[in-house]
Amino acid sequence: MPVTTQEALEEWQFFLIIIIVSLFVSAVHTSSYLLRNWKNSISEATELRVKTLELKNVAMQAELQSLKIQLDPHFMFNNFSTLSELINEDATLANDFLENLSHVYRYMIINQKKDLISLKEEIAFIKQYYYLIYIRHGENVQLNITLNNDVLNLNVPPISVQLLVENAIKHNIATLNNPLIINISSEDSFLKVCNNLQRISNSFPSTGIGLKNITDRYSLLSSDKLPVIQETENCFCVSLPLINFNA
């Protein structure tokens, strides 16, 4: 029986619908497959970034710990040298020095694991540390602290201010006629530690820590906040960024 034009048209319409439906279903499956792959790729990339950050943080913490461990021998070497001199000069002063040294060293042990400490705590420690300096040097070394109250709750790396004070004493002449004057002050969001410059021609051998240690710790804690070192003919000044730990 011959196929009519109408029947042929209906057959073509039927096949066309089947083709369209097949293409639609295929497109849906393909889209779903690509979407799943895209989500998996995003998830894997995110996971990789997280792991990279975690590894970076672990490496940073390890480097920070390494830098902080350096502080102990640096501090003790200088102060045991002073204690050794005092034992021969004045046993009573040596005993006082040793007692205060133990209090100062306890502070260093307690705060060794911290990356940052409040400026208020660091300055209290500096005042204790200055007592040790005064026993040895008397009025030859003078420390002036002038700070605004609003900066005391900001933060610095622990022992950083002490290192600057120690370096000033180690590298400069300090006599009654030419006293070494160390000024600690605040300016904007910086803590400034400045001293009059009167360098010793043959200064005490450096252990290679000092300013580099402080700068390295700052670079790990905050890459956009680094110490500023300024030197003129008569003055040496280091400005430490004050970090808002809660910001």
Side-chain angles (χ1 to χ4, degrees), residues 64-78 105 108 111-112 114 157-160 162-163 166 207 209-210 213-214 217:
L64 270 172
Q65 290 302 319
S66 175
L67 287 168
K68 287 185 285 187
I69 287 170
Q70 292 176 354
L71 300 178
D72 286 355
H74 182 262
F75 175 82
M76 297 307 294
F77 180 78
N78 284 278
Y105 190 60
M108 298 181 71
N111 294 289
Q112 185 182 39
K114 297 179 180 178
I159 325 298
S160 56
Q162 180 268 336
L163 273 176
E166 188 173 25
T207 57
I209 300 176
N213 180 284
I214 297 171
R217 282 193 286 161

Side-chain angles (χ1 to χ4, degrees), residues 53-215:
L53 289 173
E54 288 176 350
L55 290 172
K56 184 178 179 180
N57 184 59
V58 169
M60 184 189 76
Q61 290 300 321
E63 189 171 350
L64 270 172
Q65 290 302 319
S66 175
L67 287 168
K68 287 185 285 187
I69 287 170
Q70 292 176 354
L71 300 178
D72 286 355
H74 182 262
F75 175 82
M76 297 307 294
F77 180 78
N78 284 278
N79 283 284
F80 275 135
S81 296
T82 300
L83 179 60
S84 178
E85 293 178 11
L86 286 176
I87 289 172
N88 296 323
E89 296 175 4
D90 191 321
T92 302
L93 277 178
N95 184 67
D96 290 342
F97 186 93
L98 182 59
E99 183 177 351
N100 280 275
L101 178 59
S102 67
H103 292 310
V104 170
Y105 190 60
R106 186 179 300 116
Y107 170 92
M108 298 181 71
I109 293 175
I110 291 172
N111 294 289
Q112 185 182 39
K113 293 183 179 181
K114 297 179 180 178
D115 296 334
L116 291 169
I117 194 166
S118 73
L119 181 58
K120 182 178 181 179
E121 292 176 277
E122 182 78 354
I123 292 301
F125 163 65
I126 289 299
K127 290 177 179 178
Q128 290 180 317
Y129 174 67
Y130 179 66
Y131 177 79
L132 305 181
I133 296 171
Y134 189 80
I135 289 177
R136 183 66 183 91
H137 296 281
E139 295 293 335
N140 294 351
V141 176
Q142 300 173 18
L143 178 68
N144 302 313
I145 301 175
T146 307
L147 297 172
N148 298 323
N149 289 331
D150 57 352
V151 302
L152 293 177
N153 290 324
L154 297 177
N155 300 272
V156 293
I159 325 298
S160 56
V161 180
Q162 180 268 336
L163 273 176
L164 294 178
V165 173
E166 188 173 25
N167 279 352
I169 296 170
K170 183 171 63 176
H171 294 295
N172 290 278
I173 295 170
T175 65
L176 194 59
N177 292 329
N178 296 291
L180 175 65
I181 302 173
I182 303 171
N183 295 309
I184 299 177
S185 61
S186 56
E187 182 177 308
D188 299 326
S189 58
F190 286 87
L191 179 76
K192 301 187 70 174
V193 182
C194 304
N195 62 270
N196 54 325
L197 201 57
Q198 38 197 39
R199 291 193 183 281
I200 301 173
S201 55
N202 295 313
S203 61
F204 195 83
S206 173
T207 57
I209 300 176
L211 288 173
K212 185 177 185 306
N213 180 284
I214 297 171
T215 301

